[in-house]
Amino acid sequence: MGMLLRAPIAFAMLASGIAYLVVKGHDVGLAAEQVLNGLYNGYVLLAVPLFVFAANLMNAGTISERLFEFSRVLVGRMRGGLAQVDILVSVIFSGMSGSAIADAAGPGLVTIKQMLKKPEYTPGFAGAVVVASATIGPIIPPSIPMVIYALVSGTSVGALFLGGLLPGLLMAALLMVGVHVIATRRNMPKDDPIPARALPGILLRGLMPLTLPVVLLAGIYSGAFTPTEAAAVAALHALILAGVVYRAFTPKALFLVTLESLRSSAVITMIIASAYLLNYAFATEGVPGNLALWVASLHLGQLEFLLLVNVVFLVLGCFLDVSVMLLVFVPMLIPTARLLGIDLVHFGVVVVVNMMIGLVTPPFGMLLFVTNALTGIALKDMVREGWPFTLLLLFALLLLTLFPQIVLWLPQTMGYVTR
């Protein structure tokens, strides 16, 4: 009811939890107890504001522009080159930010401006490509949604990060094939050739930001630091790169980036805190256990259950925020997934991919609204041009559901015990 009245999601959830305590005659002080216990015991949560800060630093520090030029050298000469560049930039930026919104607002905005300079790229197509490619952001590690999923499921963050790598590359490959087919049919241009003398400088400037995902992944999987500590390393690396190496910050600009990061982190933290209270209500009423027993009575197999979950989350993703689905609905499904013997790393990656698709589906696709707000491109134009890309993302989701080893091969190869 609160969300229907346009109340902030966190406040609506908190009010629902307190109303439950009042109706059941429980001590209302349990609200503070559940929230504080959840936050203080959630060490992994420290990664969320740090990854948000790192992404904002990179967006404000000219890194997006450098990655764009670097990617132009690699794929710009393909048919529909600028659209192909956007997808490659999203893949690279995904290894730094972990946020779909940051991807659309940073590299996505750069590529849209470039595409709109050429008449062959319609505004709707440019926006649709950016929106679709931004979904890769939280799939390729690091990933803020996977950190939250690890919190509610007890799954290894490192295993989840590795599990998202191949699915993210699969999504990118399918989108690039889709762009090639559309660009060939519409006779879209290849990008202008880059003078040979400019190539070394462009490649060098583009390679420097690429050191961040290398440092992060090498540090995590060598045991030098935990995934949570990796978020602090990412923030420090981005600060040094943008502030010291590129000298892209004034003190005022750094203050504004910090302030925006604090605001975004506060919103996420409020939603997480409210979810703890709501989850307490569900657990007290035995909802997760009863749901598991009900699903067991239906005699569903692993595949049938995953397909059902996909359908449910695809529908919910049209209306609800990703954080709400991760923190409220996913914990109710974890016992059922365990009961059916579904690997929780596989389940987590499938769920996160599902939720990213929800960011591009109307009526409340968040990426659509962000891109519309930043560029003024009409929502209806992006939806009309974007349906082929949405179908390709759904095909990727189906492949991940049918073939768990796409997700599990890397974690298992690196020695993680999944399930």
Side-chain angles (χ1 to χ4, degrees), residues 84 87 91 94 132-133 135-136 139-141 162-179 346 349-350 353 357 389 391-408 410:
Q84 303 285 16
I87 297 170
V91 170
S94 298
S133 66
T135 61
I136 302 170
I139 309 303
I140 293 177
L162 276 178
L165 187 56
L166 290 182
L169 295 176
L170 172 64
M171 293 164 65
L174 289 173
L175 290 176
M176 293 185 83
V177 170
V179 166
H346 177 229
V349 173
V350 167
V353 170
I357 296 174
F389 302 120
L391 290 179
L392 288 170
L393 293 174
L394 288 172
F395 180 60
L397 176 63
L398 180 61
L399 291 178
L400 299 180
T401 303
L402 295 175
F403 304 105
Q405 282 306 114
I406 299 176
V407 173
L408 299 177
L410 264 180

Side-chain angles (χ1 to χ4, degrees), residues 18-316:
I18 292 175
Y20 168 81
L21 294 177
V22 172
V23 170
K24 288 292 184 177
H26 295 173
D27 183 0
V28 179
L30 279 171
E33 179 185 339
Q34 291 300 313
V35 168
L36 293 177
N37 283 343
L39 293 178
Y40 285 134
N41 292 327
Y43 173 68
V44 72
L45 280 178
L46 289 174
V48 174
L50 291 168
F51 279 133
V52 169
F53 185 46
N56 287 339
L57 284 171
M58 288 183 287
N59 276 338
T62 72
I63 292 177
S64 297
E65 290 81 356
R66 296 170 191 271
L67 291 178
F68 174 80
E69 293 299 330
F70 177 80
S71 298
R72 284 182 69 180
V73 173
L74 299 181
V75 298
R77 296 298 292 163
M78 298 172 65
R79 182 67 64 184
L82 291 177
Q84 303 285 16
V85 166
D86 176 73
I87 297 170
L88 182 58
V89 171
S90 292
V91 170
I92 298 172
F93 196 78
S94 298
M96 306 176 192
S97 74
S99 166
I101 303 299
D103 191 327
L109 188 58
V110 173
T111 52
I112 283 179
K113 289 179 179 178
Q114 293 297 322
M115 280 190 273
L116 293 184
K117 292 179 180 179
K118 297 182 179 291
E120 295 86 355
Y121 296 95
T122 64
F125 177 81
V129 171
V130 166
V131 164
S133 66
T135 61
I136 302 170
I139 309 303
I140 293 177
S143 167
I144 292 173
M146 287 185 188
V147 169
I148 297 174
Y149 174 83
L151 177 71
V152 302
S153 67
T155 312
S156 164
V157 176
L160 286 166
F161 280 5
L162 276 178
L165 187 56
L166 290 182
L169 295 176
L170 172 64
M171 293 164 65
L174 289 173
L175 290 176
M176 293 185 83
V177 170
V179 166
H180 177 75
V181 171
I182 294 172
T184 301
R185 288 179 176 175
R186 300 183 183 181
N187 196 30
M188 288 181 176
K190 299 178 182 179
D191 196 15
D192 298 328
I194 297 173
R197 64 180 181 274
L199 291 178
I202 292 174
L203 292 174
L204 179 61
R205 289 191 295 271
L207 284 171
M208 292 182 70
L210 290 177
T211 58
L212 177 53
V214 173
V215 169
L216 286 183
L217 296 180
I220 291 173
Y221 300 117
S222 68
F225 42 75
T226 67
T228 302
E229 292 164 346
V233 172
L236 179 62
H237 190 288
L239 183 60
I240 293 173
L241 194 61
V244 178
V245 178
Y246 296 151
R247 297 182 181 179
F249 282 127
T250 62
K252 180 180 180 181
L254 180 58
F255 173 76
L256 293 175
V257 167
T258 304
L259 186 61
E260 178 57 33
S261 301
L262 287 171
R263 287 173 177 164
S264 300
S265 300
V267 170
I268 297 172
T269 303
M270 278 295 298
I271 293 174
I272 292 173
S274 303
Y276 280 122
L277 181 56
L278 211 54
N279 288 337
Y280 168 79
F282 287 133
T284 302
E285 295 299 316
V287 173
N290 291 332
L291 180 61
L293 292 175
W294 177 72
V295 171
S297 70
L298 298 177
H299 303 292
L300 295 178
Q302 293 183 0
L303 179 58
E304 291 86 352
F305 174 72
L306 287 173
L307 290 174
L308 178 62
V309 168
N310 282 339
V311 171
V312 171
F313 277 122
L314 285 171
V315 174
L316 290 177

